[in-house]
DNA sequence: TAGATTGTTAATCGATTAACAATC
DNA sequence: TAGATTGTTAATCGATTAACAATC
Protein backbone atom coordinates (compact mmCIF):
# COMPACT_ATOMS: atom_id res chain seq x y z
CA UNK A 1 0.00 0.00 0.00
CA UNK A 2 1.10 3.58 -0.43
CA UNK A 3 0.53 6.56 1.80
CA UNK A 4 2.32 9.80 1.48
CA UNK A 5 3.85 12.17 3.94
CA UNK A 6 3.42 10.02 6.99
CA UNK A 7 6.22 10.56 9.46
CA UNK A 8 8.75 7.86 10.11
CA UNK A 9 8.07 8.29 13.83
CA UNK A 10 4.60 6.89 13.15
CA UNK A 11 5.84 4.06 10.93
CA UNK A 12 8.33 2.94 13.59
CA UNK A 13 5.51 2.33 16.04
CA UNK A 14 3.36 0.21 13.75
CA UNK A 15 5.53 -2.91 14.04
CA UNK A 16 5.38 -2.50 17.83
CA UNK A 17 1.59 -2.44 17.72
CA UNK A 18 1.70 -5.47 15.45
CA UNK A 19 3.76 -7.34 18.00
CA UNK A 20 1.30 -6.52 20.77
CA UNK A 21 -1.61 -7.68 18.63
CA UNK A 22 0.20 -10.95 17.99
CA UNK A 23 0.59 -11.46 21.76
CA UNK A 24 -3.03 -10.62 22.46
CA UNK A 25 -4.53 -12.56 19.57
CA UNK A 26 -6.55 -15.54 20.73
CA UNK A 27 -6.83 -14.15 24.25
CA UNK A 28 -8.92 -11.09 23.39
CA UNK A 29 -10.97 -10.28 20.33
CA UNK A 30 -10.96 -6.56 21.03
CA UNK A 31 -8.38 -4.11 22.37
CA UNK A 32 -8.64 -0.47 23.43
CA UNK A 33 -6.10 2.19 22.60
CA UNK A 34 -5.45 2.31 26.33
CA UNK A 35 -4.49 -1.38 26.57
CA UNK A 36 -2.63 -1.42 23.27
CA UNK A 37 -0.72 1.67 24.32
CA UNK A 38 0.14 0.27 27.73
CA UNK A 39 1.64 -2.85 26.22
CA UNK A 40 3.46 -0.94 23.48
CA UNK A 41 4.81 1.78 25.77
CA UNK A 42 2.84 4.52 23.99
CA UNK A 43 0.13 6.91 25.23
CA UNK A 44 -3.40 5.97 24.19
CA UNK A 45 -3.98 9.28 22.41
CA UNK A 46 -0.93 8.65 20.26
CA UNK A 47 -2.05 5.12 19.43
CA UNK A 48 -5.36 6.50 18.14
CA UNK A 49 -3.67 9.28 16.22
CA UNK A 50 -1.18 6.87 14.63
CA UNK A 51 -3.92 4.51 13.48
CA UNK A 52 -6.18 7.33 12.31
CA UNK A 53 -3.63 8.26 9.64
CA UNK A 54 -4.58 5.12 7.75
CA UNK A 55 -8.31 4.79 8.34
CA UNK A 56 -11.03 4.38 10.92
CA UNK A 57 -10.25 0.99 12.39
CA UNK A 58 -11.96 1.26 15.77
CA UNK A 59 -15.48 1.32 17.18
CA UNK A 60 -16.45 3.92 19.75
CA UNK A 61 -17.12 2.44 23.14
CA UNK A 62 -15.52 -0.85 22.13
CA UNK A 63 -11.99 -0.50 20.81
CA UNK A 64 -10.20 -2.23 17.93
CA UNK A 65 -10.90 -5.73 16.65
CA UNK A 66 -7.58 -7.50 17.19
CA UNK A 67 -7.54 -9.64 14.07
CA UNK A 68 -8.90 -6.92 11.84
CA UNK A 69 -6.37 -4.37 13.05
CA UNK A 70 -3.57 -6.89 12.67
CA UNK A 71 -4.58 -7.52 9.06
CA UNK A 72 -4.78 -3.82 8.32
CA UNK A 73 -1.40 -3.07 9.85
CA UNK A 74 0.13 -5.92 7.92
CA UNK A 75 -1.25 -4.49 4.68
CA UNK A 76 0.00 -1.03 5.53
CA UNK A 77 3.50 -2.35 6.23
CA UNK A 78 3.51 -4.54 3.10
CA UNK A 79 3.69 -7.61 5.29
CA UNK A 80 0.65 -9.24 3.73
CA UNK A 81 2.74 -10.84 1.00
CA UNK A 82 6.21 -12.42 0.85
CA UNK A 83 9.09 -10.00 0.61
CA UNK A 84 12.41 -11.22 -0.70
CA UNK A 85 15.59 -10.28 1.10
CA UNK A 86 19.32 -10.72 0.50
CA UNK A 87 22.24 -10.60 2.88
CA UNK A 88 25.67 -9.43 1.77
CA UNK A 89 28.75 -10.37 3.76
CA UNK A 90 28.67 -13.84 5.27
CA UNK A 91 31.14 -13.20 8.06
CA UNK A 92 30.37 -14.35 11.57
CA UNK A 93 27.72 -11.66 12.04
CA UNK A 94 26.20 -12.25 8.61
CA UNK A 95 26.19 -15.98 9.22
CA UNK A 96 24.45 -15.54 12.55
CA UNK A 97 21.84 -13.21 11.08
CA UNK A 98 21.18 -15.60 8.22
CA UNK A 99 20.44 -18.39 10.66
CA UNK A 100 18.44 -16.09 12.92
CA UNK A 101 16.24 -14.85 10.13
CA UNK A 102 15.70 -18.28 8.73
CA UNK A 103 14.56 -19.61 12.08
CA UNK A 104 12.24 -16.65 12.55
CA UNK A 105 10.69 -17.31 9.17
CA UNK A 106 10.26 -21.01 9.82
CA UNK A 107 8.66 -20.55 13.21
CA UNK A 108 6.30 -17.68 12.52
CA UNK A 109 3.96 -18.10 9.56
CA UNK A 110 3.15 -14.38 9.73
CA UNK A 111 6.78 -13.40 9.23
CA UNK A 112 6.79 -12.91 5.49
CA UNK A 113 10.25 -11.47 5.03
CA UNK A 114 12.08 -14.28 3.32
CA UNK A 115 15.85 -14.50 3.02
CA UNK A 116 16.47 -15.89 -0.46
CA UNK A 117 20.10 -15.10 -1.27
CA UNK A 118 23.44 -14.62 0.45
CA UNK A 119 26.43 -12.93 -1.13
CA UNK A 120 30.11 -13.00 -0.29
CA UNK A 121 33.38 -12.32 -2.02
CA UNK A 122 35.30 -15.32 -0.69
CA UNK A 123 35.53 -18.15 -3.26
CA UNK A 124 35.47 -20.87 -0.61
CA UNK A 125 31.95 -19.83 0.45
CA UNK A 126 30.42 -19.41 -2.99
CA UNK A 127 28.18 -22.28 -4.01
CA UNK A 128 27.60 -23.38 -0.43
CA UNK A 129 24.46 -22.56 1.49
CA UNK A 130 23.22 -21.74 4.99
CA UNK A 131 19.99 -23.47 5.91
CA UNK A 132 19.20 -23.94 2.22
CA UNK A 133 19.83 -20.30 1.32
CA UNK A 134 22.54 -20.27 -1.39
CA UNK A 135 25.69 -18.17 -1.20
CA UNK A 136 26.51 -16.34 -4.44
CA UNK A 137 29.46 -14.24 -5.47
CA UNK A 138 28.94 -10.51 -4.97
CA UNK A 139 29.60 -10.25 -8.72
CA UNK A 140 26.25 -11.95 -9.21
CA UNK A 141 24.23 -9.27 -7.41
CA UNK A 142 23.18 -7.54 -10.67
CA UNK A 143 21.75 -10.83 -11.95
CA UNK A 144 20.42 -12.55 -8.82
CA UNK A 145 18.68 -9.55 -7.26
CA UNK A 146 16.31 -8.79 -10.16
CA UNK A 147 15.79 -12.48 -10.94
CA UNK A 148 14.53 -13.12 -7.43
CA UNK A 149 12.68 -9.83 -7.06
CA UNK A 150 14.79 -8.92 -4.04
CA UNK A 151 13.82 -5.54 -2.62
CA UNK A 152 15.41 -5.64 0.82
CA UNK A 153 19.02 -6.30 1.84
CA UNK A 154 21.06 -6.72 4.99
CA UNK A 155 24.59 -5.38 4.68
CA UNK A 156 27.19 -7.01 6.94
CA UNK A 157 30.35 -6.31 4.97
CA UNK A 158 33.45 -4.49 6.26
CA UNK A 159 33.12 -0.70 6.48
CA UNK A 160 35.48 0.02 3.62
CA UNK A 161 33.39 -1.79 1.01
CA UNK A 162 29.93 -1.00 2.38
CA UNK A 163 29.29 1.99 0.13
CA UNK A 164 30.48 0.16 -2.94
CA UNK A 165 28.24 -2.86 -2.21
CA UNK A 166 25.34 -0.52 -1.48
CA UNK A 167 25.71 1.15 -4.87
CA UNK A 168 25.59 -2.23 -6.58
CA UNK A 169 22.54 -3.30 -4.56
CA UNK A 170 20.68 -0.08 -5.31
CA UNK A 171 21.58 -0.34 -8.97
CA UNK A 172 20.15 -3.88 -8.97
CA UNK A 173 16.84 -2.67 -7.57
CA UNK A 174 17.08 -2.94 -3.78
CA UNK A 175 14.77 -0.41 -2.09
CA UNK A 176 15.65 -0.82 1.59
CA UNK A 177 18.83 -1.70 3.44
CA UNK A 178 19.53 -2.77 6.99
CA UNK A 179 23.11 -1.64 7.45
CA UNK A 180 25.42 -3.12 10.08
CA UNK A 181 28.57 -1.48 8.74
CA UNK A 182 29.80 1.50 10.76
CA UNK A 183 29.37 3.95 7.88
CA UNK A 184 26.75 6.44 6.79
CA UNK A 185 25.55 5.11 3.46
CA UNK A 186 24.69 7.48 0.63
CA UNK A 187 21.61 6.32 -1.23
CA UNK A 188 19.03 7.85 -3.58
CA UNK A 189 15.98 9.40 -1.93
CA UNK A 190 13.74 6.47 -2.87
CA UNK A 191 15.92 4.00 -0.96
CA UNK A 192 15.55 3.62 2.81
CA UNK A 193 18.44 2.77 5.11
CA UNK A 194 18.10 1.56 8.68
CA UNK A 195 21.32 1.61 10.62
CA UNK A 196 22.11 -1.09 13.13
CA UNK A 197 25.36 0.44 14.17
CA UNK A 198 26.41 -1.38 17.29
CA UNK A 199 29.45 0.76 18.07
CA UNK A 200 27.34 3.91 18.02
CA UNK A 201 24.78 2.33 20.32
CA UNK A 202 27.40 1.12 22.77
CA UNK A 203 29.09 4.51 22.81
CA UNK A 204 25.76 6.17 23.44
CA UNK A 205 25.03 3.80 26.32
CA UNK A 206 28.42 4.60 27.81
CA UNK A 207 27.20 8.15 28.38
CA UNK A 208 24.54 6.93 30.76
CA UNK A 209 27.02 5.03 32.89
CA UNK A 210 29.06 6.41 35.70
CA UNK A 211 26.70 9.09 36.87
CA UNK A 212 23.25 9.15 38.36
CA UNK A 213 21.33 10.19 35.28
CA UNK A 214 17.59 10.33 35.80
CA UNK B 1 31.26 12.95 33.56
CA UNK B 2 27.76 13.92 34.50
CA UNK B 3 25.44 16.41 32.83
CA UNK B 4 21.79 16.65 33.54
CA UNK B 5 18.76 17.10 31.38
CA UNK B 6 20.50 16.80 28.05
CA UNK B 7 18.26 15.22 25.48
CA UNK B 8 19.01 11.77 24.17
CA UNK B 9 18.70 13.19 20.65
CA UNK B 10 21.87 15.17 21.38
CA UNK B 11 23.69 12.22 22.98
CA UNK B 12 22.96 10.02 19.97
CA UNK B 13 24.84 12.42 17.70
CA UNK B 14 27.99 12.64 19.81
CA UNK B 15 29.32 9.20 18.79
CA UNK B 16 28.72 10.18 15.16
CA UNK B 17 30.82 13.31 15.61
CA UNK B 18 33.45 11.20 17.31
CA UNK B 19 33.60 8.91 14.30
CA UNK B 20 34.07 11.85 11.95
CA UNK B 21 36.84 13.24 14.13
CA UNK B 22 38.58 9.86 14.03
CA UNK B 23 38.45 9.90 10.21
CA UNK B 24 39.72 13.45 9.98
CA UNK B 25 42.41 13.13 12.63
CA UNK B 26 45.88 13.38 11.17
CA UNK B 27 44.59 14.96 7.98
CA UNK B 28 43.34 18.18 9.52
CA UNK B 29 44.10 19.79 12.85
CA UNK B 30 40.97 21.92 12.79
CA UNK B 31 37.39 21.36 11.65
CA UNK B 32 34.47 23.74 11.25
CA UNK B 33 30.90 22.96 12.28
CA UNK B 34 30.12 23.12 8.58
CA UNK B 35 32.58 20.39 7.63
CA UNK B 36 31.86 18.27 10.70
CA UNK B 37 28.16 18.56 10.02
CA UNK B 38 28.51 17.65 6.37
CA UNK B 39 30.37 14.46 7.19
CA UNK B 40 28.02 13.55 10.03
CA UNK B 41 24.84 14.33 8.13
CA UNK B 42 23.85 17.12 10.51
CA UNK B 43 23.30 20.85 9.92
CA UNK B 44 26.15 23.07 11.11
CA UNK B 45 23.92 25.06 13.46
CA UNK B 46 22.90 21.85 15.19
CA UNK B 47 26.50 20.71 15.53
CA UNK B 48 27.35 23.96 17.30
CA UNK B 49 24.28 23.76 19.50
CA UNK B 50 25.01 20.15 20.45
CA UNK B 51 28.59 20.91 21.44
CA UNK B 52 27.65 24.10 23.25
CA UNK B 53 25.67 22.08 25.81
CA UNK B 54 28.97 20.84 27.22
CA UNK B 55 31.28 23.82 26.93
CA UNK B 56 32.92 26.25 24.55
CA UNK B 57 35.12 24.01 22.47
CA UNK B 58 35.57 26.13 19.36
CA UNK B 59 37.37 29.29 18.30
CA UNK B 60 35.55 31.95 16.29
CA UNK B 61 36.84 32.25 12.78
CA UNK B 62 38.74 28.97 13.08
CA UNK B 63 36.58 26.03 14.13
CA UNK B 64 37.26 23.16 16.49
CA UNK B 65 40.63 21.60 17.22
CA UNK B 66 40.17 17.99 16.10
CA UNK B 67 42.19 16.25 18.80
CA UNK B 68 40.93 18.49 21.57
CA UNK B 69 37.30 18.02 20.58
CA UNK B 70 37.83 14.28 20.28
CA UNK B 71 39.23 14.16 23.80
CA UNK B 72 36.38 16.22 25.17
CA UNK B 73 33.72 14.10 23.50
CA UNK B 74 35.39 10.96 24.77
CA UNK B 75 35.27 12.35 28.31
CA UNK B 76 31.63 13.33 27.94
CA UNK B 77 30.69 9.85 26.72
CA UNK B 78 32.75 8.13 29.43
CA UNK B 79 34.99 6.68 26.75
CA UNK B 80 38.17 8.02 28.29
CA UNK B 81 38.55 4.97 30.49
CA UNK B 82 37.93 1.23 30.04
CA UNK B 83 34.33 0.15 30.44
CA UNK B 84 33.59 -3.47 31.21
CA UNK B 85 30.86 -5.26 29.32
CA UNK B 86 29.18 -8.66 29.51
CA UNK B 87 27.21 -10.59 26.92
CA UNK B 88 24.43 -12.95 27.92
CA UNK B 89 23.28 -15.66 25.53
CA UNK B 90 26.04 -17.23 23.46
CA UNK B 91 23.85 -18.44 20.59
CA UNK B 92 24.93 -17.83 17.03
CA UNK B 93 24.18 -14.12 17.26
CA UNK B 94 25.82 -13.77 20.67
CA UNK B 95 28.84 -15.69 19.45
CA UNK B 96 29.17 -13.45 16.40
CA UNK B 97 28.86 -10.30 18.48
CA UNK B 98 31.45 -11.56 20.93
CA UNK B 99 33.95 -12.04 18.12
CA UNK B 100 32.99 -8.77 16.49
CA UNK B 101 33.47 -6.76 19.63
CA UNK B 102 36.71 -8.41 20.46
CA UNK B 103 38.14 -7.64 17.03
CA UNK B 104 36.97 -4.04 17.29
CA UNK B 105 38.68 -3.72 20.64
CA UNK B 106 41.92 -5.25 19.41
CA UNK B 107 42.13 -3.09 16.31
CA UNK B 108 41.17 0.28 17.71
CA UNK B 109 43.08 1.49 20.75
CA UNK B 110 40.47 4.18 21.29
CA UNK B 111 37.68 1.65 21.60
CA UNK B 112 37.58 1.28 25.36
CA UNK B 113 34.50 -0.85 25.74
CA UNK B 114 35.92 -4.18 26.78
CA UNK B 115 34.01 -7.45 26.70
CA UNK B 116 35.11 -9.31 29.82
CA UNK B 117 32.48 -11.99 30.42
CA UNK B 118 30.05 -14.19 28.52
CA UNK B 119 27.12 -15.97 30.10
CA UNK B 120 25.04 -18.90 28.93
CA UNK B 121 22.80 -21.51 30.43
CA UNK B 122 24.06 -24.49 28.42
CA UNK B 123 26.47 -26.66 30.45
CA UNK B 124 28.52 -27.64 27.39
CA UNK B 125 29.55 -24.01 26.86
CA UNK B 126 30.36 -23.11 30.43
CA UNK B 127 34.08 -23.01 31.17
CA UNK B 128 34.98 -22.53 27.51
CA UNK B 129 35.90 -19.17 26.05
CA UNK B 130 35.62 -17.10 22.87
CA UNK B 131 38.78 -15.24 21.95
CA UNK B 132 39.93 -15.48 25.58
CA UNK B 133 36.68 -14.16 27.03
CA UNK B 134 35.37 -16.82 29.44
CA UNK B 135 31.85 -18.24 29.33
CA UNK B 136 30.19 -18.47 32.74
CA UNK B 137 26.90 -19.93 33.84
CA UNK B 138 24.08 -17.39 34.03
CA UNK B 139 23.83 -18.42 37.69
CA UNK B 140 27.16 -16.69 38.20
CA UNK B 141 25.94 -13.26 37.07
CA UNK B 142 25.40 -12.00 40.65
CA UNK B 143 29.02 -12.83 41.48
CA UNK B 144 30.91 -12.14 38.24
CA UNK B 145 29.28 -8.81 37.38
CA UNK B 146 30.26 -6.94 40.56
CA UNK B 147 33.65 -8.66 40.75
CA UNK B 148 34.56 -7.37 37.29
CA UNK B 149 32.88 -4.01 37.67
CA UNK B 150 30.66 -4.74 34.67
CA UNK B 151 28.29 -1.86 33.94
CA UNK B 152 27.18 -2.63 30.42
CA UNK B 153 25.59 -5.78 28.98
CA UNK B 154 24.51 -7.14 25.62
CA UNK B 155 21.44 -9.36 25.85
CA UNK B 156 21.11 -12.00 23.13
CA UNK B 157 18.94 -14.55 24.89
CA UNK B 158 15.58 -15.89 23.64
CA UNK B 159 12.65 -13.51 24.09
CA UNK B 160 10.96 -15.54 26.81
CA UNK B 161 13.87 -15.25 29.24
CA UNK B 162 15.06 -11.76 28.35
CA UNK B 163 13.16 -9.97 31.12
CA UNK B 164 14.26 -12.48 33.73
CA UNK B 165 17.93 -12.16 32.70
CA UNK B 166 17.60 -8.38 32.64
CA UNK B 167 16.31 -8.35 36.21
CA UNK B 168 19.31 -10.38 37.33
CA UNK B 169 21.73 -8.11 35.44
CA UNK B 170 20.20 -4.97 36.89
CA UNK B 171 20.23 -6.48 40.36
CA UNK B 172 23.95 -7.22 39.89
CA UNK B 173 24.69 -3.59 39.01
CA UNK B 174 24.45 -3.31 35.24
CA UNK B 175 23.51 0.25 34.21
CA UNK B 176 23.02 -0.07 30.46
CA UNK B 177 21.78 -2.85 28.20
CA UNK B 178 21.94 -3.40 24.48
CA UNK B 179 18.95 -5.65 23.89
CA UNK B 180 18.64 -7.89 20.85
CA UNK B 181 15.64 -9.81 22.17
CA UNK B 182 12.33 -8.85 20.57
CA UNK B 183 10.79 -7.66 23.84
CA UNK B 184 10.32 -4.34 25.58
CA UNK B 185 12.40 -4.64 28.74
CA UNK B 186 11.20 -3.14 32.00
CA UNK B 187 14.06 -1.54 33.90
CA UNK B 188 14.47 1.01 36.70
CA UNK B 189 14.78 4.65 35.62
CA UNK B 190 18.53 4.72 36.25
CA UNK B 191 19.15 1.91 33.75
CA UNK B 192 19.32 2.64 30.02
CA UNK B 193 18.19 0.20 27.36
CA UNK B 194 19.05 0.43 23.68
CA UNK B 195 17.01 -1.86 21.50
CA UNK B 196 18.57 -3.56 18.50
CA UNK B 197 15.37 -5.20 17.45
CA UNK B 198 16.00 -6.52 13.98
CA UNK B 199 12.47 -7.73 13.32
CA UNK B 200 11.07 -4.30 14.08
CA UNK B 201 13.59 -2.66 11.78
CA UNK B 202 12.90 -5.06 8.93
CA UNK B 203 9.16 -4.60 9.31
CA UNK B 204 9.61 -0.86 9.27
CA UNK B 205 11.71 -1.07 6.11
CA UNK B 206 9.01 -3.17 4.48
CA UNK B 207 6.73 -0.14 4.63
CA UNK B 208 9.02 1.79 2.32
CA UNK B 209 8.99 -0.92 -0.30
CA UNK B 210 6.45 -1.37 -3.04
CA UNK B 211 5.43 2.22 -3.48
CA UNK B 212 7.19 5.35 -4.65
CA UNK B 213 7.71 6.93 -1.26
CA UNK B 214 9.67 10.17 -1.38
C1' DT C 1 -30.07 4.01 28.39
C1' DA C 2 -25.35 4.77 30.62
C1' DG C 3 -20.59 3.88 30.21
C1' DA C 4 -16.79 3.48 27.39
C1' DT C 5 -13.91 4.60 23.77
C1' DT C 6 -13.12 6.40 19.32
C1' DG C 7 -11.43 10.12 15.84
C1' DT C 8 -10.12 14.78 15.77
C1' DT C 9 -9.10 19.43 17.08
C1' DA C 10 -6.51 22.68 19.72
C1' DA C 11 -2.75 23.29 23.08
C1' DT C 12 1.66 22.01 24.50
C1' DC C 13 6.02 20.55 24.29
C1' DG C 14 10.56 19.84 22.40
C1' DA C 15 13.83 19.82 18.78
C1' DT C 16 15.77 22.01 14.72
C1' DT C 17 16.91 25.98 11.95
C1' DA C 18 18.02 30.72 10.80
C1' DA C 19 20.12 34.78 11.97
C1' DC C 20 23.57 37.58 13.97
C1' DA C 21 26.56 39.93 17.34
C1' DA C 22 30.96 38.67 19.20
C1' DT C 23 35.58 37.62 18.18
C1' DC C 24 39.45 34.93 16.56
C1' DT D 1 42.39 44.57 8.97
C1' DA D 2 38.96 41.48 6.52
C1' DG D 3 37.06 37.03 6.35
C1' DA D 4 35.48 33.25 8.73
C1' DT D 5 33.22 30.91 12.20
C1' DT D 6 31.68 30.50 16.82
C1' DG D 7 27.97 30.56 20.67
C1' DT D 8 23.40 32.00 21.37
C1' DT D 9 18.89 33.91 20.74
C1' DA D 10 14.54 34.00 18.45
C1' DA D 11 11.66 31.78 14.92
C1' DT D 12 10.10 27.68 12.92
C1' DC D 13 8.86 23.28 12.53
C1' DG D 14 7.07 18.86 13.88
C1' DA D 15 5.55 15.58 17.17
C1' DT D 16 2.99 14.54 21.35
C1' DT D 17 -0.65 15.33 24.59
C1' DA D 18 -5.07 16.81 26.40
C1' DA D 19 -9.71 17.46 25.75
C1' DC D 20 -14.14 16.48 23.94
C1' DA D 21 -18.03 15.82 20.77
C1' DA D 22 -19.63 11.84 18.37
C1' DT D 23 -21.33 7.32 18.81
C1' DC D 24 -21.11 2.38 19.66
Amino acid sequence: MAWKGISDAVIRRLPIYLRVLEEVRGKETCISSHELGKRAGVRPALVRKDLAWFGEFGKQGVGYDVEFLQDELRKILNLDEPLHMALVGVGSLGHALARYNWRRFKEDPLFTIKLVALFDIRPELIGRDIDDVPIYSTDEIPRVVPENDIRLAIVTVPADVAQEITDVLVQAGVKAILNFAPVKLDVPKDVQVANADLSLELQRLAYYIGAQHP
Side-chain angles (χ1 to χ4, degrees), chain A residues 152-188:
Chain A
L152 179 56
I154 298 179
V155 170
T156 42
V157 299
D160 55 338
V161 293
Q163 183 62 58
E164 184 187 335
I165 286 290
T166 297
D167 294 342
V168 176
L169 287 169
V170 168
Q171 184 61 38
V174 163
K175 290 295 173 206
I177 292 174
L178 180 55
N179 174 39
F180 283 82
V183 214
K184 185 174 149 344
L185 297 177
D186 277 336
V187 291

Side-chain angles (χ1 to χ4, degrees), chain A residues 14-194:
Chain A
L14 302 186
I16 303 177
Y17 299 152
L18 208 45
R19 180 174 289 167
V20 171
L21 294 171
E22 185 57 29
E23 281 169 26
V24 166
R25 191 182 204 177
K27 294 179 198 161
E28 306 289 344
T29 57
C30 235
I31 192 167
S32 66
S33 61
H34 183 85
E35 178 67 14
L36 176 46
K38 204 174 80 178
R39 290 179 180 255
V42 174
R43 297 287 176 91
L46 189 51
V47 172
R48 296 200 296 278
K49 199 163 208 296
D50 284 347
L51 299 178
W53 286 102
F54 303 97
E56 305 198 356
F57 301 134
K59 277 198 180 60
Q60 280 105 326
V62 182
Y64 300 88
D65 182 280
V66 172
E67 292 198 18
F68 174 71
L69 184 57
Q70 195 181 28
D71 284 351
E72 291 301 316
L73 287 180
R74 287 168 54 77
K75 279 182 215 162
I76 292 163
L77 289 168
N78 295 312
L79 298 172
D80 54 336
E81 51 189 19
L83 196 63
H84 291 182
M85 180 167 72
L87 183 149
V88 192
V90 190
S92 59
L93 184 58
H95 196 285
L97 292 175
R99 302 207 58 219
Y100 173 85
N101 190 268
W102 180 82
R103 196 175 321 126
R104 189 89 169 69
F105 184 76
K106 275 276 184 183
E107 283 171 5
D108 180 356
L110 291 179
F111 194 79
T112 50
I113 300 173
K114 192 178 178 191
L115 184 64
V116 297
L118 305 169
F119 295 97
D120 203 286
I121 202 176
R122 286 165 295 175
E124 66 270 28
L125 291 176
I126 295 160
R128 303 185 64 177
D129 66 79
I130 297 176
D131 295 331
D132 298 326
V133 181
I135 305 178
Y136 300 98
S137 162
T138 48
D139 295 340
E140 301 243 60
I141 291 174
R143 179 180 66 81
V144 175
V145 165
E147 270 184 20
N148 290 276
D149 193 29
I150 293 168
R151 314 274 197 87
L152 179 56
I154 298 179
V155 170
T156 42
V157 299
D160 55 338
V161 293
Q163 183 62 58
E164 184 187 335
I165 286 290
T166 297
D167 294 342
V168 176
L169 287 169
V170 168
Q171 184 61 38
V174 163
K175 290 295 173 206
I177 292 174
L178 180 55
N179 174 39
F180 283 82
V183 214
K184 185 174 149 344
L185 297 177
D186 277 336
V187 291
K189 279 194 301 298
D190 67 328
V191 176
Q192 268 302 303
V193 174

